[in-house]
Amino acid sequence: MERREVMVGKTRARVLTAARELLLLKDFSGFSMEAVARRADVSRLTLYYQFKSKAGLLEALYDHIARRGKMEQLADVFRHGSDPLATLHDYIRVFANFWASDRGAIRRLHGLASIDPDIGKGLQARNERRRQGVQTIVERYSRVYPALSSARKAIVIDTIQMLTSFETFDALAGSSRNMDDVVSIIQEHVHHAVGYAGKAPL
Amino acid sequence: MERREVMVGKTRARVLTAARELLLLKDFSGFSMEAVARRADVSRLTLYYQFKSKAGLLEALYDHIARRGKMEQLADVFRHGSDPLATLHDYIRVFANFWASDRGAIRRLHGLASIDPDIGKGLQARNERRRQGVQTIVERYSRVYPALSSARKAIVIDTIQMLTSFETFDALAGSSRNMDDVVSIIQEHVHHAVGYAGKAPL
DNA sequence: TTGTAATTATACATACTGTATGATTAATAT
DNA sequence: ATATTAATCATACAGTATGTATAATTACAA
């Protein structure tokens, strides 16, 4: 089991690359199992064999994009036991980098997720994991700055979740705004979100 | 030309109601021209006659929802020449009411819009009109509070546009948060957005 | 060498979109 | 009252999509 796995990996990668390219075309109706197969120079049946269904293929594509967008960095953000506010800033930066890494494709995948429950399930799970991350940070934060009342905690978490979402990033990035600016706008607002509930943390 | 227009109006309303109901079903794949026609007790051909295409039907559905969501109120917000900050608050409330008026359907329509350019075009036009509204308010605001530098104006407009978007509302409303709370969270952040660029306006 | 995983070929059932052609019903105009 | 026209419907067709079934083929692995 070696050469074989490599071959399979290459086939899957070729398919996922083709799928991503077709996902970005203006005319999304051009995205079909048949078209992806043709572009990847693979039989349509191979797609079903490897990914089960269209939803399965798109799920795998999201994973693919997450890997390419360096989402592993997220683990490090939590490992370093630094200032919770710094953690929050790093957290925002990691996600902004991810969202920016393949904006068009992610936008389409999110659109599909809100329509097809099969695809939506995977994204929902991701969102819950994201929420857990936010919660962990806020928890640490409220230990250092106890002024954050527990009644406000839920609001703060939801607000940060919203501010670090793809949709927020996408709206702020617009057609040309540079990413560091977007990150600092988001950081500003997250800072405000945790700040207005208690004392100013800086 | 009277009785006839009434009949057509009734037919269209019945179709749009059926379309909205099917749009809300978990399994969105059940949404098809055929299914809508069946549910509205109308021939499939009538749908094409009345709405041209699937995209046309969904466009009309968005209009339908906008009417039901009392979006006409928006005009009044601008007519009253009151304090720009009050205008902003009213503006936020009108949109929150609209987003809340048919959250599930709007979520699906926005999902479809990010996939199908035919549908997306209509929503993009709406967003541009929404942006114009924000711009007008910010313009009025910066006349009263000149501390808002023109360099920041673009950022402020984009931020408000983001904060008043459906996606922001949807994220903050979550599964159960009461709407007045959502509105005041958004107002808080919009206030911060216009405030941090210049002097505090209140 | 034998078994097995991966890919492919062909075919089929089912469903949807959009269009064409023409019939039918009912309101409107003259 | 009759002719006209708008709205609806029936049938049919072309094109394309998904997903599954069956079986053949290729190439790696035990």
Side-chain angles (χ1 to χ4, degrees), chain B residues 57-71:
Chain B
L57 171 59
L58 292 168
E59 275 266 9
L61 181 54
Y62 207 107
D63 289 340
H64 182 66
I65 290 173
R67 275 192 302 274
R68 294 195 346 160
K70 303 203 197 299
M71 276 298 284

Side-chain angles (χ1 to χ4, degrees), chain B residues 51-117:
Chain B
F51 303 100
K52 294 285 282 180
S53 67
K54 197 175 184 178
L57 171 59
L58 292 168
E59 275 266 9
L61 181 54
Y62 207 107
D63 289 340
H64 182 66
I65 290 173
R67 275 192 302 274
R68 294 195 346 160
K70 303 203 197 299
M71 276 298 284
E72 327 85 57
Q73 293 183 352
L74 191 60
D76 299 334
V77 171
F78 286 93
R79 264 196 271 283
H80 305 321
S82 53
D83 176 22
L85 209 62
T87 306
L88 206 40
H89 282 200
D90 290 345
Y91 181 88
I92 292 166
R93 186 178 301 280
V94 168
F95 271 100
N97 272 312
F98 172 44
W99 304 137
S101 73
D102 210 343
R103 224 175 129 193
I106 293 173
R107 194 183 302 128
R108 287 243 150 121
L109 285 171
H110 281 225
L112 283 167
S114 65
I115 283 168
D116 187 324

Side-chain angles (χ1 to χ4, degrees), chain A residues 4 63 68 111 148 183 200:
Chain A
R4 203 158 207 170
D63 289 339
R68 293 197 346 161
L148 182 61
V183 168

Side-chain angles (χ1 to χ4, degrees), chain A residues 48-123:
Chain A
Y48 284 99
Y49 183 81
Q50 285 291 342
F51 303 101
K52 294 285 280 180
S53 68
K54 197 175 183 176
L57 170 59
L58 292 169
E59 276 264 9
L61 181 53
Y62 207 106
D63 289 339
H64 182 67
I65 290 173
R67 275 192 303 274
R68 293 197 346 161
K70 303 204 196 298
M71 276 298 283
E72 327 85 56
Q73 292 184 353
L74 191 60
D76 300 333
V77 171
F78 286 92
R79 264 196 271 284
H80 305 323
S82 53
D83 176 22
L85 209 63
T87 306
L88 206 39
H89 282 200
D90 290 346
Y91 182 88
I92 292 166
R93 185 178 302 279
V94 168
F95 271 100
N97 272 311
F98 172 44
W99 304 137
S101 74
D102 210 342
R103 227 176 127 192
I106 293 172
R107 194 183 302 130
R108 287 242 150 122
L109 285 171
H110 282 226
L112 284 167
S114 65
I115 282 169
D116 188 324
D118 287 333
I119 306 164
K121 243 178 45 185
L123 203 97

